[in-house]
């Protein structure tokens, strides 16, 4: 066994135990869910038993995760630098573990555009207000979001986001479809009506 495979082996064992403990399960509870004996599971966690692929698949299911996530190793490229778009006052970071998902930080100064300019597109968005007050127009409703409040919504509802009473900053997470919808509407920018500074 190489040093690298030994490190992966140890990481997987620690991950199994950490996920079990996070669920609040005893060895017996996880063993029952994974159709293993308690002693087998104990030996797997402690490195006294070889990791078998069929057992890893069963353990991953029992722990409500995937085999890929269970055996995933850290990469050297942990730090991600933002792509900066000064024209739209935003920074965007791609999420490497979920291609197509983007995290966007944006400064807004204008209120949302009129209801006639709201748009809809496939996808989901999540946002949190970092500072100031934001207004989310969603369908026929208007939501006021203060600092540290968040919103999540399907983007098939007509929507617009803007500032109220001065500048505000938001951090948004766009799934692949929502990101594409904003890129199509804005020539590559991930903003929504009323958000331009």
């Amino acid at each position: 066994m190489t040093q690298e495979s030994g490190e992966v082996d140890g990481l997987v064992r620690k991950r199994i135990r950490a996920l079990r403990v996070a669920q609040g399960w005893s060895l017996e509870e996880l063993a029952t869910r994974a159709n293993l004996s308690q002693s087998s599971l104990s030996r797997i966690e402690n490195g006294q038993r070889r990791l078998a692929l069929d057992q890893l698949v069963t353990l991953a299911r029992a722990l409500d995760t995937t085999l890929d996530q269970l055996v995933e190793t850290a990469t050297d490229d942990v730090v991600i630098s933002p792509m900066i778009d000064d024209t739209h006052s935003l920074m965007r970071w791609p999420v490497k573990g979920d291609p197509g998902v983007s995290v966007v930080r944006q400064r807004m100064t204008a209120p949302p555009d009129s209801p006639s300019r709201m748009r809809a597109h496939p996808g989901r968005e999540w946002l949190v207000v970092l500072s100031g007050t934001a207004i989310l127009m969603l369908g026929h409703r208007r939501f006021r979001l203060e600092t540290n409040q968040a919103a999540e919504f399907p983007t098939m509802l007509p929507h617009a986001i803007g500032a109220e009473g001065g500048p505000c900053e938001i951090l948004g997470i766009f799934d692949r479809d929502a990101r594409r919808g904003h890129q199509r509407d804005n020539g590559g920018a991930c903003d929504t009506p009323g958000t331009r500074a």
Side-chain angles (χ1 to χ4, degrees):
M1 180 185 297
T2 66
Q3 181 179 355
E4 185 175 314
S5 64
E7 289 172 6
V8 171
D9 184 86
L11 177 66
V12 170
R13 293 173 193 278
K14 287 177 186 173
R15 194 170 282 152
I16 290 168
R17 183 179 190 288
L19 289 170
R20 175 180 62 78
V21 171
Q23 295 283 354
W25 295 340
S26 66
L27 277 167
E28 182 181 6
E29 287 173 291
L30 179 56
T32 300
R33 291 171 185 269
N35 201 24
L36 293 169
S37 71
Q38 185 176 339
S39 63
S40 292
L41 179 58
S42 177
R43 289 194 312 266
I44 287 171
E45 285 188 3
N46 294 322
Q48 298 168 347
R49 182 174 178 158
R50 186 178 63 85
L51 291 172
L53 182 59
D54 60 333
Q55 290 173 335
L56 287 177
V57 170
T58 303
L59 283 166
R61 282 191 196 122
L63 291 163
D64 195 27
T65 189
T66 66
L67 181 60
D68 287 346
Q69 290 173 329
L70 198 56
V71 300
E72 179 180 50
T73 59
T75 60
D76 292 335
D77 54 347
V78 172
V79 177
I80 303 168
S81 296
M83 291 174 262
I84 299 172
D85 179 350
D86 289 327
T87 305
H88 298 98
S89 299
L90 64 85
M91 286 188 245
R92 184 172 60 84
W93 299 264
V95 177
K96 293 180 182 180
D98 194 350
V101 172
S102 292
V103 177
V104 176
R105 179 179 176 186
Q106 187 162 17
R107 182 174 192 272
M108 299 179 286
T109 58
D113 287 341
S114 67
S116 64
R117 302 239 0 238
M118 294 193 318
R119 68 181 130 193
H121 50 82
R124 285 194 74 78
E125 292 183 23
W126 179 92
L127 65 93
V128 64
V129 179
L130 300 175
S131 66
T133 302
I135 297 298
L136 169 63
M137 294 172 58
L138 191 59
H140 297 293
R141 300 178 70 190
R142 183 178 189 271
F143 298 92
R144 187 171 194 261
L145 301 167
E146 302 288 342
T147 300
N148 297 325
Q149 287 186 313
E152 181 180 0
F153 57 94
T155 55
M156 285 302 285
L157 285 171
H159 60 281
I161 304 168
E164 179 182 76
C168 74
E169 282 194 329
I170 65 166
L171 187 69
I173 300 175
F174 298 83
D175 73 3
R176 180 187 311 266
D177 292 330
R179 182 182 56 100
R180 284 181 183 156
H182 285 289
Q183 287 176 332
R184 256 192 314 276
D185 293 340
N186 296 295
C190 285
D191 66 347
T192 49
T195 60
R196 292 182 181 167

